[in-house]
């Protein structure tokens, strides 16, 4: 008993005199942001380019500041709103197709993570066969080049002809000096592919590769396109920038954003696309819906409910 008492006393003394462990430092980084899912026989990987705060209180149009604040608060959000920037990689089994490329260095320091996240997702830029651009705003095309060099040397880049004719025109740039940075970003990103013979425009609604088709529009930009992905009876429509702020525009699809070139047409295209998705029950994927930005739509009065995909770990 005496020996036990001495051992207990010694242990207590060690406990008292031992220095306390320091608190673990905060890591302050996230895991690589990609999400993988199957669509029929196709593998779809959503690759996030980062998030950045947007001043949606000054960008959104068609509702009062009080209504906007209330709509954001209802969804536990506020302005500036941290917003996702998503691109979509479709592996059809015979083609590797990328829809949009992220911002590169054209949209501030918080974005430009696409290349690292693509690598983390198990792919290299050299593997990509086709790149389809929804529109030529900087956060969708900036990832095409680095220091003027092709990031995707083996890919053919495609976009709606009306979009290319607008953003790659020096004559139109001269008439729109307020949008000068947008024009210059598009030209810097696309012209190296044009010069290399790797840019090919399309017109109308066409199948670009088996299972992936374009649907042409003109609201958000003069040639904004959406892309329809179909395999084994399953369907995903990549809506690009038909919506930016789900917390507001799902319930109020009549609200537009300052980035829209023709707000009336953008609104009409959003309603048409969302009504069709809600009616048929297929998936949509949005460039600025909260990552991974894929889900179903359900009609709710004059607006919609967005139901994100249920997370599935691919086995």
């Amino acid at each position: 008993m005496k020996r036990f008492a001495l051992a207990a006393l010694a242990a207590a003394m060690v406990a008292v005199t031992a220095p306390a462990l320091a608190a673990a430092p905060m890591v302050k980084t996230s895991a690589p942001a990609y999400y993988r899912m199957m669509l029929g026989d196709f593998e779809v990987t959503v690759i996030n380019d980062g998030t950045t705060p947007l001043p949606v209180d000054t960008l959104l149009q068609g509702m009062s500041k009080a209504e906007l604040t209330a709509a954001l608060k209802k969804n536990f959000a506020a302005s500036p709103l941290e917003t996702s920037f998503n691109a979509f990689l479709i592996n059809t089994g015979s083609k590797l197709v990328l829809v949009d490329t992220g911002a590169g260095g054209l949209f501030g320091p918080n974005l430009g993570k696409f290349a690292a996240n693509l690598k983390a997702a198990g792919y290299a830029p050299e593997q990509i066969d086709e790149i389809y651009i929804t529109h030529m705003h900087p956060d969708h095309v900036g990832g095409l080049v680095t220091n003027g060099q092709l990031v995707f040397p083996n890919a053919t880049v495609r976009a709606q002809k009306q979009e290319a004719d607008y953003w790659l025109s020096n004559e139109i740039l001269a008439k729109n000096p307020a949008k000068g940075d947008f024009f210059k970003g598009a030209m810097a990103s696309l012209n190296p592919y044009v010069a290399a013979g790797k840019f090919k425009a399309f017109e109308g609604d066409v199948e670009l590769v088996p299972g992936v088709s374009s649907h042409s529009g003109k609201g958000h930009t003069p040639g904004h396109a959406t892309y329809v992905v179909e395999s084994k009876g399953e369907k995903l429509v990549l809506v690009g920038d038909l919506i930016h702020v789900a917390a507001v525009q799902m319930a109020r699809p009549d609200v537009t954003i300052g980035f829209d070139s023709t707000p009336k047409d953008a609104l009409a295209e959003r309603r048409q696309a969302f009504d069709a998705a809600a009616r048929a029950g297929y998936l949509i994927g949005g460039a600025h819906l909260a990552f991974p930005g894929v889900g179903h739509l359900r009609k709710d009065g004059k607006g919609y409910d967005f139901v994100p995909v249920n997370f599935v770990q691919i086995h």
Side-chain angles (χ1 to χ4, degrees):
M1 291 294 294
K2 183 176 181 181
R3 182 180 298 174
F4 175 79
L6 289 173
L9 177 62
M13 291 178 64
V14 169
V16 170
T17 59
L21 294 176
M26 295 183 184
V27 179
K28 294 187 176 180
T29 58
S30 298
Y34 67 90
Y35 175 76
R36 187 163 284 137
M37 58 179 280
M38 296 302 297
L39 186 83
D41 287 334
F42 292 177
E43 182 183 79
V44 177
T45 306
V46 188
I47 300 174
N48 186 253
D49 193 47
T51 68
T52 201
L54 292 181
V56 298
D57 58 332
T58 60
L59 288 172
L60 292 179
Q61 302 171 349
M63 67 190 315
S64 70
K65 286 292 180 69
E67 289 176 315
L68 174 58
T69 299
L72 290 170
K73 186 176 181 181
K74 183 179 179 180
N75 287 275
F76 305 96
S79 184
L81 180 66
E82 200 72 25
T83 302
S84 292
F85 290 71
N86 306 317
F88 298 83
L89 187 66
I90 303 108
N91 191 336
T92 70
S94 59
K95 292 288 185 180
L96 195 56
V97 177
L98 175 64
V99 177
D100 290 336
T101 68
L106 296 181
F107 212 90
N110 297 330
L111 304 182
K113 296 177 172 61
F114 173 85
N117 288 336
L118 175 69
K119 181 178 179 181
Y123 290 102
E126 294 80 10
Q127 293 177 279
I128 294 175
D129 300 298
E130 303 266 322
I131 300 174
Y132 303 151
I133 302 299
T134 58
H135 62 295
M136 294 184 183
H137 278 172
D139 52 311
H140 298 260
V141 300
L144 284 168
V145 298
T146 298
N147 297 322
Q149 300 300 309
L150 308 187
V151 170
F152 308 97
N154 300 315
T156 297
V157 179
R158 308 198 68 181
Q160 190 180 177
K161 184 177 184 297
Q162 190 172 350
E163 185 76 354
D165 288 347
Y166 183 83
W167 292 108
L168 303 183
S169 168
N170 284 306
E171 290 76 18
I172 298 177
L173 164 60
K175 298 175 183 177
N176 293 271
K179 297 181 180 179
D181 287 344
F182 277 41
F183 278 91
K184 292 173 185 176
M187 292 175 182
S189 301
L190 272 299
N191 282 343
Y193 288 86
V194 174
K198 291 182 173 294
F199 177 76
K200 187 177 180 181
F202 59 82
E203 296 184 76
D205 301 347
V206 295
E207 185 174 60
L208 302 170
V209 297
V212 184
S213 302
S214 67
H215 180 72
S216 297
K218 61 179 182 178
H220 181 59
T221 59
H224 182 280
T226 58
Y227 295 98
V228 182
V229 185
E230 296 182 273
S231 174
K232 298 290 283 290
E234 297 185 28
K235 183 174 178 178
L236 166 67
V237 176
L238 302 176
V239 301
D241 278 15
L242 291 188
I243 188 167
H244 289 77
V245 186
V248 175
Q249 292 175 293
M250 285 295 179
R252 287 283 305 273
D254 58 304
V255 172
T256 59
I257 196 165
F259 296 128
D260 290 336
S261 61
T262 312
K264 182 179 178 180
D265 289 334
L267 166 58
E269 288 176 11
R270 177 164 52 254
R271 284 194 180 279
Q272 183 181 44
F274 284 17
D275 280 347
R279 185 170 56 250
Y282 53 73
L283 291 164
I284 67 163
H288 301 298
L289 295 175
F291 179 80
V294 179
H296 292 91
L297 289 174
R298 189 167 51 207
K299 201 78 173 74
D300 183 9
K302 295 182 179 180
Y304 311 89
D305 287 329
F306 178 67
V307 184
V309 287
N310 183 46
F311 176 78
V312 176
Q313 181 72 55
I314 295 180
H315 303 290

